[in-house]
Amino acid sequence: MNKGITLLEILFAIVLITIVVGISVSSYSVYQRSIQLQAARDGLRSVVHQARQRATASADNQTWGIQLRADGYTMFAGPTFTTGGAGNIDYSFSGAIIDNYQTAFSDGAISTSSIIFQKQSGLPTLSGSVILRPANSLTPTTSVTILSSGAIE
């Protein structure tokens, strides 16, 4: 009787292990993209909520807003966004991008990448949805919607 392992059995085990590892890596990659997308969405929602709170409280006696860009966003004080403004707070995504950053907010006549929350009322000047997706894939997507009432969904 032969008590050894044949070359065919070793090759079969290697192929089986390769298939299992390939499936695991693929599943982990999908999971990682999903987690990065959720973190980007939650971070953006939090900062939009913070800008609205600051406007409602009239912090620094200013309106507050959010300026979008493909790889992140900036919270700013004042009626317009100024690149490099003293009070600007920049945020960047890790593994996600904003698909529609140039046209996310609209009133039907104009579309822009900025939204301003008014002092005391906290009402936005425009409303719209920000669509986020993984940086290296077209799907899945998620969104953050700012209603004309100022509610954030």
Side-chain angles (χ1 to χ4, degrees):
M1 291 184 107
N2 187 358
K3 294 186 180 188
I5 298 174
T6 67
L7 181 60
L8 185 59
E9 290 170 330
I10 291 173
L11 288 175
F12 179 74
I14 290 172
V15 167
L16 190 60
I17 289 170
T18 303
I19 290 171
V20 170
V21 168
I23 291 170
S24 298
V25 167
S26 175
S27 296
Y28 178 74
S29 177
V30 168
Y31 171 74
Q32 186 177 24
R33 277 196 309 256
S34 174
I35 292 300
Q36 287 174 332
L37 194 57
Q38 288 175 5
R41 181 198 63 214
D42 294 346
L44 177 58
R45 286 182 69 169
S46 176
V47 172
V48 169
H49 184 70
Q50 185 180 11
R52 183 169 185 240
Q53 283 181 325
R54 287 183 180 198
T56 302
S58 297
D60 299 329
N61 198 29
Q62 296 279 343
T63 57
W64 285 83
I66 302 290
Q67 170 72 28
L68 302 176
R69 59 183 190 278
D71 66 342
Y73 47 95
T74 302
M75 182 169 56
F76 63 92
T80 58
F81 173 74
T82 304
T83 302
N88 291 0
I89 304 170
D90 290 317
Y91 300 88
S92 295
F93 294 127
S94 174
I97 62 170
I98 298 175
D99 239 3
N100 64 332
Y101 72 96
Q102 294 175 319
T103 59
F105 307 115
S106 176
D107 67 357
I110 62 165
S111 295
T112 183
S113 58
S114 292
I115 188 166
I116 312 286
F117 294 98
Q118 298 303 312
K119 286 191 301 184
Q120 296 177 342
S121 69
L123 293 175
T125 53
L126 302 169
S127 59
S129 291
V130 179
I131 300 170
L132 299 151
R133 70 172 174 84
N136 57 358
S137 175
L138 295 176
T139 58
T141 62
T142 189
S143 64
V144 174
T145 301
I146 301 162
L147 304 176
S148 59
S149 65
I152 303 162
E153 296 179 342

